[in-house]
Amino acid sequence: MSGVMKRMGMIFRAKANKALDRAEDPRETLDYSYQKQLELLQKVRRGVADVATSRKRLELQLNQLQSQSGKLEDQGRKALALGREDLAREALSRRAALQQQVTDLETQHATLQGEEEKLTLAAQRLQAKVDAFRTKKETIKATYTAAQAQTRIGEAFSGISEEMGDVGLAIQRAEDKTAQLQARAGAIDELLASGALDDQSGMHKDDIQAELDRLSGGTDVELELQRMKAELAGGSGDRQAIEGSQGQGQTQSQQQPQDTPRFDKQ
């Protein structure tokens, strides 16, 4: 049961990771990372400002303590000048206590100054990294946008190519069907002409009659051609024969009275 649960958990995480990968935009991720770096840089700068403020506060306290120490020293000198050694001792005791505070504050001041220098250097380095990341981020975003546009253009051309391929296939299918129909029509015409198929128009002819009609059709054409040639050739001969017969007729008509015997009336 535990193995099944582990497997289900792995499958769920794998599918969730795949879904997140599809939903993730690298440009948005880069912008988010840059924003986080700016926030970190801002925190470092605030830390530098806080340390500098603390250092400045210590400097003010040191100035005040040093001023008080100098004042107590003057008071001790005046007390000794007036013969008041007790007052001079008291002034010097207070000055010694102030001097211990000054020493402690100077140590803290040196520590804060060192921390401030470290934080300032870290802020400068972080600023340089943030600037470099920003430049790289913009470069990656521009490259990603260009690649995305190129991919979309390629997909668009690929879609056009697929559509044109489909059109080409449709044209090819149409041409094949047209050629098939033409071949079928020609075959049906030949079969009808040969009598292999029944003519539903009622003008059925068997193969022998079809062959006789074909031969007679050719013979009729040849006969008609010969007749026309004969008419053309015979036209001139008949004209000459007619003219010759007319000449002979006239000659005979002229010669007939001489040859015909006469009968006298009685």
Side-chain angles (χ1 to χ4, degrees), residues 250-262:
Q250 291 177 357
T251 303
Q252 290 177 359
S253 62
Q254 291 176 0
Q255 292 177 358
Q256 185 175 1
Q258 296 178 359
D259 295 336
T260 303
R262 295 180 178 180

Side-chain angles (χ1 to χ4, degrees), residues 135-175:
T135 302
K136 187 175 182 179
K137 173 181 72 71
E138 295 300 328
T139 303
I140 293 174
K141 287 175 63 177
T143 305
Y144 179 82
T145 303
Q148 189 179 35
Q150 186 175 3
T151 302
R152 289 177 178 174
I153 293 173
E155 290 176 352
F157 276 110
S158 176
I160 293 174
S161 300
E162 292 178 357
E163 291 180 0
M164 293 303 293
D166 294 338
V167 171
L169 291 175
I171 294 174
Q172 184 65 35
R173 288 195 297 269
E175 291 178 350

Side-chain angles (χ1 to χ4, degrees), residues 79-93:
L80 286 175
L82 295 174
R84 295 292 304 271
E85 186 176 348
D86 55 344
L87 290 177
R89 186 177 291 109
E90 181 66 24
L92 292 175
S93 297

Side-chain angles (χ1 to χ4, degrees), residues 97-223:
L98 289 175
Q99 192 63 36
Q100 184 63 38
Q101 293 180 8
V102 168
T103 302
D104 295 338
L105 289 176
E106 286 177 350
T107 303
Q108 294 180 7
H109 180 271
T111 302
L112 288 175
Q113 190 171 7
E115 292 295 331
E116 182 181 358
E117 291 176 357
K118 290 180 181 179
L119 289 174
T120 302
L121 182 60
Q124 292 175 354
R125 291 178 179 176
L126 184 58
Q127 180 67 53
K129 289 183 179 180
V130 170
D131 293 339
F133 180 79
R134 180 181 61 186
T135 302
K136 187 175 182 179
K137 173 181 72 71
E138 295 300 328
T139 303
I140 293 174
K141 287 175 63 177
T143 305
Y144 179 82
T145 303
Q148 189 179 35
Q150 186 175 3
T151 302
R152 289 177 178 174
I153 293 173
E155 290 176 352
F157 276 110
S158 176
I160 293 174
S161 300
E162 292 178 357
E163 291 180 0
M164 293 303 293
D166 294 338
V167 171
L169 291 175
I171 294 174
Q172 184 65 35
R173 288 195 297 269
E175 291 178 350
D176 293 340
K177 288 183 178 180
T178 302
Q180 184 178 0
L181 290 175
Q182 290 176 348
R184 184 176 178 84
I188 291 173
D189 291 339
E190 291 180 358
L191 291 174
L192 287 174
S194 64
L197 293 179
D198 292 335
D199 188 359
Q200 299 299 327
S201 62
M203 300 176 64
H204 174 70
K205 294 181 181 180
D206 57 9
D207 54 349
I208 298 175
Q209 186 63 37
E211 184 66 19
L212 291 175
D213 291 341
R214 185 181 66 81
L215 294 175
S216 63
T219 304
D220 293 340
V221 173
E222 293 296 330
L223 292 175

Side-chain angles (χ1 to χ4, degrees), residues 11-25:
I11 293 173
F12 177 77
R13 288 191 296 269
K15 291 187 176 295
N17 187 25
K18 187 175 181 180
L20 290 174
D21 185 66
R22 288 196 302 266
E24 182 183 9
D25 190 345

